[in-house]
């Protein structure tokens, strides 16, 4: 039997490849983005409590109401953004699903979607599997990964259906600014272009920056699918729980696709998060927690030959290695995993043409011991 592959060029995601290599070689795994420490015992207690209580059957397709309500409240309190929990918030199985369900809802055959590279690796497959075409805008280290909106304008055509954004950004850590939102608003004014905004690192943002969602711009909210996650905020990436907030008409279409992808997401975890989020400190404290980790990692790297700009947000620090070698980043990530025992992600995998900035991405969602050990090894290079 042969399958006429829909994704002939696609292999296994880099995160699986590098984590596997790290496991095989016993390297410190700073590649795939997940914490190596546990979530709050309180959260585990809550999940256990709801399991014992019998909350083990399907949740409503759109998610349990208390979780949608607490999300609505948080979004209103923090950003003065109103979403109706009834028909504008949907709980899904992780942000990757939210992104896929959004594309499945809005992309028709031949539609174009603007993607900024470096781009998280699930974006383009989500477009293409739904019959769309990715139109690339390339951001590079030379321009500090800033968006040139005049260039974006040249990529817009009659077929442009959506623009995909990430803030804070993976892998660069960059955050959208008010100026970005204003330029974006000007660009899409009077068009039918939607925005998919991936904000999974919303609470991991540093140096007193304010998280800015496109949805916070009055001219953009009506067209934005705000996709988020509980995994990064609460150290529970394995629970695969996320959400999408969007105006009523958009949510109606979103739910049509979500219901065929997972139908509903795990029930006891939803109840646990609904309770846990009643105390805002449980998500607001995450910022300081990760800022300290970023600062320690950077501190331990002082004296190394790497160069960097401290991440603005996310739990990734990019390190430029041009003063050490000019090898391709992919080969280097593999070699250093084997030879010095530190695994990272080569940033070129986030570009369709494998553009090489000579930068590796390191995840600092790791305990201090691992971070210090990894930095010590990196300093020897
Ligand atoms: N988001 C995580 C990262 O960027 C990994 C998710 C995954 O493994 N698919 O590393």
């Amino acid at each position: 039997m042969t399958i006429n592959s829909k994704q002939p060029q696609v292999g296994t995601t880099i995160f699986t490849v590098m984590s596997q290599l790290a496991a095989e070689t016993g390297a410190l795994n700073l590649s795939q983005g997940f914490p190596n420490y546990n979530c709050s015992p309180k959260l585990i207690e809550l999940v256990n409590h709801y399991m014992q209580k019998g909350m083990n059957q399907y949740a409503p397709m759109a998610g349990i109401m208390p979780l949608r309500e607490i999300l609505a409240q948080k979004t209103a309190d923090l950003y003065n953004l109103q979403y109706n929990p009834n028909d504008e918030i949907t709980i899904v199985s992780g942000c990757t699903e939210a992104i896929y369900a959004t594309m499945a809802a809005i992309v028709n055959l031949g539609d174009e979607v603007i993607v900024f590279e470096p781009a998280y690796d699930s974006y383009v497959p989500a477009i293409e599997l739904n019959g769309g075409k990715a139109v690339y805008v390339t951001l590079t280290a030379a321009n500090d990964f800033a968006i040139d909106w005049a260039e974006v304008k040249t990529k817009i055509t009659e077929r442009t259906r959506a623009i995909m954004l990430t803030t804070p950004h993976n892998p660069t850590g960059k955050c959208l600014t008010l100026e970005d939102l204003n330029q974006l608003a000007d660009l899409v004014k009077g068009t039918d272009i939607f925005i998919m905004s991936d904000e999974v690192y919303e609470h991991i943002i540093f140096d007193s920056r304010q998280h800015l969602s496109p949805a916070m711009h009055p001219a953009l909210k009506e067209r934005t699918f705000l996709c988020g996650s509980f995994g990064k905020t609460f150290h529970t990436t394995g629970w695969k729980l996320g959400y999408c907030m969007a105006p009523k008409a958009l949510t109606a279409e979103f739910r049509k696709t979500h219901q065929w992808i997972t139908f509903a997401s795990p029930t006891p975890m939803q109840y646990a998060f609904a309770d846990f989020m009643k105390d805002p400190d449980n998500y607001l404290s995450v910022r300081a927690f990760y800022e300290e980790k970023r600062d320690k990692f950077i501190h331990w790297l002082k004296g190394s030959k790497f160069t960097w700009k401290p991440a603005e947000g996310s739990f990734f620090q990019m390190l430029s290695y041009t003063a050490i070698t000019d090898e391709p980043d992919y080969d280097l990530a593999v070699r250093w995993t084997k030879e010095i025992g530190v695994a990272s992600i080569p940033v070129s995998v986030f570009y369709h043409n494998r553009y090489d900035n000579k930068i590796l991405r390191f995840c600092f969602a790791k305990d201090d011991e691992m971070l210090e050990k990894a930095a010590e090894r990196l300093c020897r290079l």
Side-chain angles (χ1 to χ4, degrees), residues 18 21 328-338 342-346 360:
M18 291 310 294
L21 186 63
D329 65 352
Y330 193 99
D331 300 350
L332 194 61
V334 171
R335 184 163 78 78
W336 280 350
T337 303
K338 293 179 182 161
V342 181
S344 60
I345 297 287
L360 299 174

Side-chain angles (χ1 to χ4, degrees), residues 241-255:
L241 218 54
Y243 55 88
C244 175
M245 302 198 268
K248 191 173 169 182
L250 280 59
T251 291
E253 284 303 315
F254 179 91
R255 287 183 183 174

